Amino acid sequence: MRFDILTIFPGFFDSVLDYGILKRAQVTGQVQVARHDLRDFTHDRHRTVDDRPFGGGEGMVLKAEPIFDAFESLGLSAKEQRDTSRETVIMLSAQGRPFSQSMAHELAGMDRVVILCGRYEGIDERVNEMLCDREVSIGDYVLSGGELAAAILVDAVVRLLPGALGNPDSARFESFGAEDVAEESMTTDGVPRATHGSGGLLEYPHYTRPAEFRGVPIPEALMSGNHEVIKRWRRRMSLEKTLRNRPDLLEKATLTDDDERTLRKLRAGIRGAMEQEM
Ligand code: SAM
């Protein structure tokens, strides 16, 4: 898989791409991340990439011309002829569609992803209209540039590539896991699993040794050695964490009757605690 990142700060990516899974995937040739300096596609002495906005207002806007020239140098197909299931061009923008784990899975199935990083007030909108397939935001806040957002997107996608993670199950049994693998999670070669697909929930909490730290022991269920008990505890914790931090996810999550019962109890507990506080 190949990423092409268009930016005015190509050096930004030198360190972020040089660690862990991202580094390994590049060393093994599984992924290639090319960085292109937009200033290399300017034609004036000052290597100008920005200009004032039409209509007035604060700040500067990235000009269309260097971006179009950079795109042409990449040998991409024209927007209308592009097979967007194999290659896609993304404009990073606070105004874009929210990036998500399911978008990361979709991108991980592509051969090529081109990412355009904005700066200043943003990018001349004709670039979006004429070159880009999608406008993507990594969250409801404004960054000073698209580079951090690009690094996040590349990281989230690369770890999903086959073989990128030491254990491929790690990318299946984790927060936002799109698939509900509850059935499959019952057995692996006949051995009961203590983990389960999140079915859209947040993942349960993890603990490691020592079993007691500064007087705080790990939850008893995790010491039981009983896969069923552990699995039930983890599911309950997933539901609890999702209810507390991201209740919006519960609306789309795959929930069993047992889950609904647990949620009713958790909600009643939360209500009770709030009433006591009042
Ligand atoms: N004036 C823009 C607005 O109000 O939406 C914000 C521009 S921002 C300062 C400069 C660049 O940072 C954007 O062009 C975009 O590439 C990037 N950026 C900022 N916030 C982002 C976000 N939440 N997701 C993705 N990219 C973002």
Side-chain angles (χ1 to χ4, degrees):
M1 177 176 194
R2 179 184 165 102
F3 289 92
D4 288 283
I5 302 177
L6 279 70
T7 167
I8 60 169
F9 295 125
F12 174 94
F13 296 93
D14 293 349
S15 61
V16 275
L17 296 175
D18 210 24
Y19 294 93
I21 290 163
L22 279 180
K23 180 173 184 172
R24 198 172 59 224
Q26 290 171 94
V27 169
T28 58
Q30 194 177 24
V31 74
Q32 219 187 329
V33 188
R35 283 86 96 182
H36 309 278
D37 187 349
L38 287 173
R39 292 194 195 278
D40 291 344
F41 299 90
T42 54
H43 306 288
D44 66 316
R45 207 157 52 88
H46 302 292
R47 310 180 81 209
T48 311
V49 287
D50 58 327
D51 208 336
R52 290 193 304 272
F54 276 119
E58 62 286 345
M60 300 294 273
V61 176
L62 281 181
K63 287 157 70 67
E65 195 182 3
I67 297 173
F68 271 71
D69 286 357
F71 266 74
E72 273 147 27
S73 80
L74 293 179
L76 280 163
S77 345
K79 188 173 171 178
E80 314 71 56
Q81 285 140 27
R82 203 172 289 150
D83 174 0
T84 50
S85 64
R86 307 296 338 152
E87 60 178 17
T88 190
V89 177
I90 296 173
M91 179 164 113
L92 290 170
S93 153
Q95 302 140 36
R97 278 203 293 140
F99 184 57
S100 63
Q101 188 69 0
S102 65
M103 196 189 291
H105 274 285
E106 186 195 344
L107 297 177
M110 298 199 174
D111 301 330
R112 190 176 196 187
V113 175
V114 178
I115 304 173
L116 181 53
C117 304
R119 279 271 154 182
Y120 317 122
E121 285 307 315
I123 303 172
D124 188 308
E125 189 64 16
R126 286 165 292 191
V127 171
N128 190 19
E129 288 161 10
M130 295 161 75
L131 297 178
C132 299
D133 302 308
R134 49 179 112 191
E135 192 176 353
V136 174
S137 163
I138 61 152
D140 290 348
Y141 39 78
V142 179
L143 301 167
S144 52
E147 287 75 13
L148 272 171
I152 286 169
L153 192 147
V154 171
D155 185 286
V157 172
V158 169
R159 65 188 289 287
L160 296 178
L161 296 178
L165 293 177
N167 181 348
D169 274 355
S170 300
R172 298 177 64 214
F173 302 99
E174 65 181 353
S175 302
F176 311 113
E179 51 187 333
D180 177 27
V181 279
E183 279 307 309
E184 189 186 344
S185 71
M186 299 291 281
T187 59
T188 303
D189 299 332
V191 181
R193 260 190 197 281
T195 51
H196 50 74
S198 74
L201 300 177
L202 300 181
E203 200 179 54
Y204 47 80
H206 298 278
Y207 298 85
T208 185
R209 275 176 286 205
E212 188 174 318
F213 178 68
R214 299 197 175 184
V216 180
I218 62 163
E220 229 179 281
L222 298 180
M223 294 293 276
S224 68
N226 181 328
H227 292 280
E228 261 314 304
V229 170
I230 296 171
K231 192 150 70 73
R232 270 204 308 278
W233 179 85
R234 286 178 164 170
R235 186 69 181 175
R236 185 186 160 85
M237 290 298 112
S238 268
L239 289 163
E240 194 175 318
K241 210 165 223 217
T242 310
L243 182 63
R244 192 162 9 104
N245 293 341
R246 292 292 307 276
D248 55 302
L249 294 177
L250 291 171
E251 279 162 35
K252 284 200 194 144
T254 319
L255 300 175
T256 63
D257 291 347
D258 258 0
D259 292 337
E260 298 285 5
R261 266 192 295 278
T262 306
L263 280 170
R264 274 198 294 277
K265 281 188 206 151
L266 288 170
R267 283 190 182 109
I270 290 170
R271 263 200 309 276
M274 280 166 69
E275 276 160 17
Q276 268 183 3
E277 273 170 33
M278 280 161 54

